[in-house]
Amino acid sequence: MDNNQNLNDQEMFRREKLAKYKEMKIDPYGQAFKVTHSVKEIRALCNKKSSKALDKMNLVVSVAGRIKAIRKMGKASFINIQDKTGNIQSYIGIDVVGKKNYELFKLADIGDIVGLTGRVMMTRTGELTVRATKYKHLCKCLHPLPEKFHGLTDVEERSRRRYLDLIMNDEARRVAFARPALIRSIQNYMDSQGYVEVETAVLSPILGGANARPFVAHMNALDRDFYLRIATELNLKRLLVGGMERVYEIGRLFRNEGMDATHNPEFTTIEAYQAYSDLQGMRKLAEGMIRKAAKDVTGSDVITYQDKVIDFHKPFRWISMADLILEKTGIDFRNIKTFEEAKNLADEKGVKLENHKNTVGHVMNEFFEVFCEESLIQPTFVHTYPIEVSPLTKMGTDPRYVERFELFVNGHELANAYTELNDPIDQKARFEAQLKAKELGDDEANEMDIDFVEALEYGMPPAGGIGMGIDRLVMLLTNQPNIREVILFPMMKDR
């Protein structure tokens, strides 16, 4: 509890009431209360019914929630309470609940959590109301709630004190409930496609599965450092070797990198792998999954995001990275044979290269990121990536490229898919190339995973795999411009 010297008058006044509850033999922090109806259920049952019809219906309910408004008027009062589904008004009269119960009610403050039992009626002004026959105090709120329109508007403060944001902000509650609805939609879709959901280790002894800077944690029991996983890929592929055939995991990943409107160091993805499939199988899976999720969460597969209409109903565009760069810059990287030629083009166009990005493929990827990404507003599969930036992917017919796509929506990557590399000799060579990149200063390069190579030596069937960012999909489907709005407790800078 706060030091009383730091409390304002309202906070002191609320604390003084705690003794009064105890005098009345009421626990200020309450007991269980049997709820029979949510506010949403009450409104659905009473929808479009007249006052007479409601009287004839004689609907008695027990509802619980937080007091958002109070109008005390002597021997009769009105309150508004909010549960997770909405708000409803209640009429509390001393002639109905009794003197003792009404005295208890008079101790109530905005923010308290209460339970009400009563009959649903319509007031003369046409407002659906619970006419309370019983009032039960359930929990005292010791702080005044922020004023609705001006009290909790700072984005950082809303993220730090999400509990207050959820109390005061209808939009925050909508997003908070939309996220699990989206995840359930994905789970239902994946189940319908014959996939099984699994859980794999969060701590990994080897950095692998993606190119990213890791978080490091020390395990006392083994006296060694582990990485918080940056991807679930390698363990899920081990399950394909083991014969599970179609697996997916929705889980947290951790990348020790920057924070901005679309990045949080702790984030959620779905990764899925299907034996006997390929890139085209993952293309079909992604379209079906996203289209269903859009319909389930928003009611439509054509959505509006920040004033842009995004159409998930039409087949998503399918274009190679080389063709997209050609379209935007007039340069066809398929005709460029040497790094010197590619570097000269980069210098001409003002594309900066890091020391370890020393191949044509690296330059090609930089051109794509600089000139193409932001223009991809409608769902677009960009396929056929340089082998240098895809160490876990099956080589295409041209050995410079691999069978990979990334799905872009609104200028940002949403998903990444491969025809999976299952050749253990090739995989080992790719890991060795990554080790050389690490020596040249690439902190994000993969490490050698000998156990994974050995697993592949036992035989992993040809397969397709995909990873998709859950947070970014929630942002799109709930029309949120910042990733912090869709993560209940995002990473925050110190005050």
Side-chain angles (χ1 to χ4, degrees):
M1 188 177 290
D2 291 343
N3 186 317
N4 284 356
Q5 290 180 343
N6 297 325
L7 302 178
N8 61 36
D9 290 345
Q10 283 199 55
E11 291 167 331
M12 289 291 292
F13 183 60
R14 289 176 181 233
R15 280 163 171 73
E16 288 167 3
K17 289 183 179 181
L18 297 176
K20 296 177 182 179
Y21 283 105
K22 290 173 182 176
E23 286 173 17
M24 298 176 73
K25 295 185 168 46
I26 299 293
D27 182 351
Y29 296 101
Q31 308 294 334
F33 179 81
K34 184 173 176 57
V35 174
T36 62
H37 295 76
S38 70
V39 170
K40 184 178 180 180
E41 289 168 340
I42 294 168
R43 293 196 178 280
L45 288 168
C46 302
N47 186 36
K48 297 181 180 178
K49 286 188 166 54
S50 66
S51 181
K52 284 186 178 179
L54 283 176
D55 290 343
K56 188 180 286 188
M57 188 179 181
N58 194 32
L59 176 62
V60 176
V61 300
S62 290
V63 62
R66 189 180 295 273
I67 299 175
K68 294 300 293 292
I70 303 178
R71 285 179 287 153
K72 292 178 180 175
M73 302 179 296
K75 295 183 178 180
S77 301
F78 286 93
I79 66 171
N80 273 70
I81 67 168
Q82 172 185 287
D83 72 1
K84 70 176 184 177
T85 66
N87 286 269
I88 197 163
Q89 179 174 270
S90 177
Y91 169 83
I92 303 173
I94 193 171
D95 58 328
V96 181
V97 300
K99 184 177 178 181
K100 185 177 179 182
N101 210 207
Y102 198 74
E103 288 298 314
L104 174 62
F105 160 71
K106 284 167 69 176
L107 294 175
D109 292 298
I110 291 175
D112 288 359
I113 299 171
V114 302
L116 302 166
T117 298
R119 184 173 60 82
V120 182
M121 67 174 195
M122 189 80 71
T123 64
R124 277 177 285 184
T125 58
E127 185 160 0
L128 200 64
T129 302
V130 178
R131 188 171 189 268
T133 55
K134 293 179 183 176
Y135 169 89
K136 188 169 184 179
H137 172 83
L138 297 176
C139 186
K140 192 67 187 170
C141 176
L142 297 180
H143 296 281
L145 296 183
E147 196 274 318
K148 183 172 183 181
F149 296 103
H150 305 291
L152 197 68
T153 56
D154 181 83
V155 174
E156 296 236 345
E157 198 60 25
R158 285 177 44 234
S159 298
R160 283 193 184 93
R161 296 200 287 170
R162 186 66 81 194
Y163 50 92
L164 274 185
D165 192 29
L166 293 171
I167 292 170
M168 301 306 300
N169 187 343
D170 291 342
E171 180 69 357
R173 278 197 308 282
R174 181 184 74 84
V175 173
F177 286 113
R179 183 182 178 111
L182 167 71
I183 291 172
R184 186 57 51 87
S185 171
I186 290 173
Q187 289 170 321
N188 290 339
Y189 181 78
M190 297 301 289
D191 292 347
S192 76
Q193 301 300 306
Y195 284 78
V196 60
E197 186 174 11
V198 297
E199 293 177 295
T200 63
V202 172
L203 292 173
S204 173
I206 292 170
L207 183 64
N211 286 40
R213 289 186 179 91
F215 287 93
V216 181
H218 187 78
M219 183 181 289
N220 292 333
L222 297 177
D223 192 24
R224 64 160 297 179
D225 288 343
F226 281 76
Y227 301 110
L228 294 182
R229 67 186 181 188
I230 60 172
T232 51
E233 177 167 346
L234 299 186
N235 278 334
L236 292 175
K237 285 162 129 179
R238 285 175 169 94
L239 299 180
L240 293 190
V241 174
M244 293 189 74
E245 293 190 1
R246 295 190 185 199
V247 293
Y248 76 98
E249 181 169 9
I250 297 174
R252 291 295 178 90
L253 303 182
F254 306 86
R255 296 184 182 179
N256 199 356
E257 299 172 342
M259 297 189 295
D260 59 30
T262 58
H263 293 87
N264 192 66
E266 178 184 2
F267 61 101
T268 303
T269 67
I270 174 173
E271 285 198 42
Y273 295 85
Q274 179 180 338
Y276 315 114
S277 187
D278 59 10
L279 203 62
Q280 291 300 323
M282 296 303 100
R283 176 186 179 184
K284 181 180 177 183
L285 183 73
E287 282 203 35
M289 182 197 307
I290 294 168
R291 200 168 283 134
K292 181 181 188 300
K295 287 181 180 177
D296 288 348
V297 173
T298 73
S300 173
D301 51 15
V302 179
I303 68 167
T304 299
Y305 180 78
Q306 305 295 297
D307 298 324
K308 299 170 190 167
V309 175
I310 294 177
D311 191 343
F312 292 118
H313 180 73
K314 294 177 184 175
F316 299 178
R317 188 185 185 196
W318 179 260
I319 184 170
S320 73
M321 181 186 283
D323 283 333
L324 197 58
I325 295 170
L326 179 62
E327 195 177 272
K328 296 294 180 182
T329 69
I331 298 169
D332 191 342
F333 270 86
R334 286 165 296 204
N335 297 330
I336 296 170
K337 305 300 182 185
T338 67
F339 173 64
E340 288 71 24
E341 186 181 356
K343 189 176 184 306
N344 288 338
L345 287 169
D347 292 340
E348 286 175 19
K349 294 288 186 178
V351 176
K352 295 181 180 178
L353 301 174
E354 297 174 51
N355 288 337
H356 61 273
K357 294 180 177 177
N358 53 12
T359 69
V360 174
H362 282 121
V363 180
M364 178 180 174
N365 191 65
E366 289 296 310
F367 265 69
F368 167 71
E369 290 182 359
V370 171
F371 297 110
C372 304
E373 274 193 30
E374 290 186 0
S375 68
L376 303 175
I377 304 303
Q378 296 304 320
T380 303
F381 291 115
V382 180
H383 65 85
T384 311
Y385 274 59
I387 193 168
E388 295 92 336
V389 297
S390 309
L392 300 169
T393 317
K394 195 177 186 71
M395 197 181 297
T397 52
D398 184 331
R400 295 176 296 171
Y401 305 109
V402 294
E403 295 183 22
R404 173 188 178 188
F405 71 66
E406 288 185 300
L407 172 61
F408 289 85
V409 182
N410 192 46
H412 295 287
E413 177 204 342
L414 184 62
N416 185 19
Y418 304 157
T419 297
E420 297 299 335
L421 176 60
N422 63 341
D423 177 343
I425 296 168
D426 189 359
Q427 179 63 81
K428 186 175 181 181
R430 306 275 191 99
F431 278 141
E432 287 169 346
Q434 288 284 293
L435 291 178
K436 289 178 183 176
K438 189 177 280 289
E439 289 173 7
L440 290 171
D442 187 353
D443 294 334
E444 299 181 355
N446 284 220
E447 295 178 352
M448 174 68 75
D449 191 334
I450 293 296
D451 180 79
F452 179 66
V453 173
E454 183 178 339
L456 292 184
E457 289 173 349
Y458 281 93
M460 186 183 92
I466 188 168
M468 184 173 70
I470 296 292
D471 309 291
R472 289 185 183 177
L473 185 56
V474 178
M475 287 173 66
L476 282 170
L477 299 186
T478 59
N479 194 22
Q480 298 301 313
N482 195 303
I483 196 169
R484 284 184 294 183
E485 300 289 358
V486 303
I487 298 174
L488 287 174
F489 301 102
M491 297 292 176
M492 301 295 297
K493 295 176 183 176
D494 292 339
R495 278 191 177 94

